[in-house]
Amino acid sequence: MSKPNLYVKQGCPWCADALQYFSQVGLELNVIDVRTDPSRMSELQEISGQTKTPTLKNGDFVVADFDVDEFKQALKENPDEAKKLSLFT
């Protein structure tokens, strides 16, 4: 299984919280900083319809512009995705 993409921006406090959460739960990610790699910003816009971070993409599952509690809620609403990610809330 390929790793989920996590789009972040350097200096974003919500991104730092998300990175800490994913580290704590042991989820391996492809972290993409759209400030240090601006060419990826259009990719972020294409998958999420916006430019805000953090945004997680795993296959067709996208959670855009979230804090950790919102991400956990998205997993509760999408139990199949929680299983795919091996994350249970």
Side-chain angles (χ1 to χ4, degrees):
M1 182 173 115
S2 62
K3 295 178 190 176
N5 288 339
L6 180 66
Y7 297 85
V8 298
K9 291 178 184 167
Q10 188 175 17
C12 163
W14 296 277
C15 298
D17 289 347
L19 287 166
Q20 181 179 13
Y21 167 74
F22 292 127
S23 176
Q24 287 173 342
V25 298
L27 182 61
E28 292 186 34
L29 302 161
N30 293 317
V31 178
I32 301 162
D33 189 324
V34 296
R35 286 195 175 144
T36 59
D37 188 357
S39 66
R40 303 296 293 267
M41 180 61 80
S42 60
E43 183 180 317
L44 170 62
Q45 287 177 302
E46 185 177 314
I47 63 157
S48 67
Q50 48 84 55
T51 62
K52 297 179 181 170
T53 57
T55 294
L56 181 130
K57 180 181 188 313
N58 188 50
D60 293 333
F61 180 66
V62 176
V63 183
D65 184 27
F66 64 87
D67 66 25
V68 172
D69 288 337
E70 290 169 331
F71 182 78
K72 289 178 180 179
Q73 183 60 39
L75 289 181
K76 285 181 184 176
E77 293 170 6
N78 297 278
D80 289 341
E81 290 299 327
K83 283 182 185 177
K84 288 179 191 175
L85 293 169
S86 299
L87 296 176
F88 306 96
T89 58

